[in-house]
Amino acid sequence: GVSPTVWLNNARVKYAQRLLETTTLSFEHIAVRSGLGSATNFRQRFRNRVGTSPREYKKAFCHSPKDRPMAIKLVYLKLQNFSTNKAL
């Protein structure tokens, strides 16, 4: 199992992911709304949990069709590499 603190922080990051995917809120607003406090804390916890920055993750869900394929590929590759490194 995981500690309550780890579980809570993971849930906060997952909620922040949904907000990045579905809203145009600023990173500061997402940090507050997800319970991560500051944008700095949000970026740090997000990168540690997801393996990429919130900005790069957001690009994968942007509304501009010309930017979407490369951003999705970049996030996919980073997540794949992150997962491999965490397993070692």
Side-chain angles (χ1 to χ4, degrees):
V2 297
S3 72
T5 302
V6 170
W7 182 89
L8 182 59
N9 284 327
N10 287 342
R12 288 174 171 164
V13 170
K14 284 182 183 181
Y15 181 60
Q17 282 179 279
R18 279 202 319 260
L19 292 174
L20 287 168
E21 294 167 10
T22 61
T23 72
T24 58
L25 293 172
S26 69
F27 296 132
E28 291 79 16
H29 284 102
I30 291 174
V32 170
R33 197 176 246 191
S34 63
L36 292 166
S38 69
T40 302
N41 187 45
F42 165 51
R43 284 190 298 271
Q44 180 181 24
R45 291 194 186 275
F46 193 91
R47 184 178 291 278
N48 287 341
R49 173 84 168 93
V50 180
T52 191
S53 73
R55 185 171 312 281
E56 289 173 347
Y57 189 86
K58 176 75 174 174
K59 283 182 187 177
F61 295 94
C62 65
H63 298 290
S64 171
K66 76 175 179 70
D67 295 335
R68 193 174 297 129
M70 183 51 110
I72 290 172
K73 183 176 182 179
L74 178 64
V75 169
Y76 173 77
L77 291 173
K78 287 189 175 211
L79 290 175
Q80 188 176 31
N81 186 37
F82 181 74
S83 297
T84 302
N85 290 337
K86 284 286 191 179
L88 298 177

